[in-house]
Amino acid sequence: MTAMNRLHDRTIEVTGLRKTYGKHVVLDSVDFSVGRGEIYALLGPNGAGKTTTINILSTLIKPDAGTVSIGGVDVLSRPQEARRMFALTGQYASVDEFQTGAENLAMMARLGHLGTRARRTRVRDLLEAFDLTDAAGKRVADYSGGMRRRLDLAISLIAAPPVLFLDEPTTGLDPRSRAGLWSLVAELAANGTTILLTTQYLEEAERLAHRVGVIDGGTIVASGTPVELKAQVSGEHLVFSFATVDDVQRAAALRQNAESDLDELAVRVPTEHAVADIRSFLADTADHGVAVTDIAIAGPSLDDVFLTLTGHQAPTGRRASDTNDKEKAA
């Protein structure tokens, strides 16, 4: 399905969403829609209103104003009917550590009123799909963080819901586990699942989302494909690659405006004169005994977009962060 077709087949529609706690405005006139089989990412820092939005859509709290529909069902007036259409995976894996992976899935399948034969088939298929077959008989307490996250996502899909809400699903995961979860989420969307994803991670939004809503201070300040958003910002970056984390850190220290990416072992430096800046940086790194392994010229990033639209840097997504107190309360 093309992006254009997705826009004409809206599974989630949100209009004029507003939520306050006392005098604190958490959401202010939030509007967006998500088409069938589309991944829509709400990108923003802690306290931007991402989790509050998810909590309203999943019927956990009520807004002060606005409308929400999922598959044509009004979430506010028909919450029980709406709940049959979605699953929610929160920021932290909600699994029973004293049960095995297979037992966790079987328990949720029973709660979902699946018959014995259907339950066994569904548990087996999900264990295989999420690469947990070998660990099916192990207690979840012995699972790694990435395995717990995969199990949590598998549990959400027991009833094969058409809509999936993912609230910062890769918080705290190592790069390998994060990449593995991204592949699973992309595959779900390719098979027709509509996904609303909240994230602080710029790379996550760019890698996964068909469209991104940049949310800041409870307001969506821009929305579009990653390419469309980046087209709003001018400027290029030089991307220098290195062999080790130590090399990255030493090289980044040579430029005040440099950004280091420890996962990719790279340093990004904004440039207006690429050739001259490459020569200068290579000379400086050579003087300090740091070897550059590769050089690339890149266009604007989502980080540049976020800075332009909001006036401050977006989080880098390289560490787990606590949720804003207001969003926790929601």
Side-chain angles (χ1 to χ4, degrees), residues 5-87:
N5 287 336
R6 287 192 184 94
L7 295 177
H8 289 291
D9 187 12
R10 295 173 178 174
T11 301
I12 301 171
E13 290 195 77
V14 176
T15 305
L17 210 58
R18 180 176 174 83
K19 182 66 179 178
T20 62
Y21 291 98
K23 295 182 179 180
H24 179 64
V25 179
V26 181
L27 297 176
D28 189 10
S29 298
V30 169
D31 301 305
F32 65 87
S33 63
V34 189
R36 182 169 61 88
E38 182 181 25
I39 301 176
Y40 185 84
L42 283 176
L43 170 66
N46 281 342
K50 304 185 304 296
T51 294
T52 299
T53 301
I54 289 285
N55 286 344
I56 291 173
L57 267 66
S58 58
T59 74
L60 295 176
I61 62 175
K62 292 184 177 181
D64 299 325
T67 61
V68 179
S69 69
I70 299 176
V73 176
D74 188 300
V75 170
L76 305 181
S77 64
R78 299 154 64 188
Q80 291 187 342
E81 186 175 347
R83 288 176 194 136
R84 299 188 186 102
M85 304 185 67
F86 67 79

Side-chain angles (χ1 to χ4, degrees), residues 46 50-51 90-91 149 166-171 198-200:
N46 281 342
K50 304 185 304 296
T51 294
Q91 293 184 21
R149 217 47 177 128
L166 300 177
D167 190 14
E168 299 193 25
T170 60
T171 294
T198 72
T199 184
Q200 300 183 62

Side-chain angles (χ1 to χ4, degrees), residues 172-196:
L173 293 186
D174 61 83
R176 181 179 179 182
S177 297
R178 189 160 62 237
L181 196 61
W182 287 346
S183 295
L184 292 171
V185 172
E187 185 176 349
L188 290 171
N191 290 328
T193 302
T194 299
I195 297 172
L196 175 59

Side-chain angles (χ1 to χ4, degrees), residues 127-139:
L127 287 169
E128 182 177 348
F130 287 84
D131 195 24
L132 291 169
T133 301
D134 292 342
K138 296 180 180 178
R139 286 202 321 161

Side-chain angles (χ1 to χ4, degrees), residues 209-322:
H210 299 105
R211 289 186 300 130
V212 176
V214 179
I215 186 168
D216 187 49
T219 300
I220 294 182
V221 296
S223 183
T225 67
V227 172
E228 289 170 345
L229 291 176
K230 288 188 288 186
Q232 300 179 30
V233 181
S234 61
E236 291 183 328
H237 285 77
L238 302 175
V239 182
F240 298 92
S241 299
F242 300 88
T244 68
V245 169
D246 181 63
D247 285 347
V248 171
Q249 294 172 330
R250 292 169 61 195
L254 299 175
R255 291 291 185 277
Q256 188 175 7
N257 58 355
E259 298 177 11
S260 59
D261 186 333
L262 300 184
D263 290 342
E264 298 295 330
L265 295 179
V267 171
R268 288 171 56 92
V269 180
T271 183
E272 293 182 0
H273 308 285
V275 174
D277 289 338
I278 289 173
R279 288 174 177 168
S280 174
F281 194 78
L282 288 177
D284 288 346
T285 53
D287 288 344
H288 288 78
V290 180
V292 175
T293 60
D294 196 11
I295 304 170
I297 300 177
S301 68
L302 281 183
D303 198 1
D304 303 316
V305 172
F306 200 95
L307 177 60
T308 299
L309 293 173
T310 69
H312 57 81
Q313 293 288 140
T316 62
R318 301 305 172 201
R319 60 181 178 82
S321 299
D322 292 332

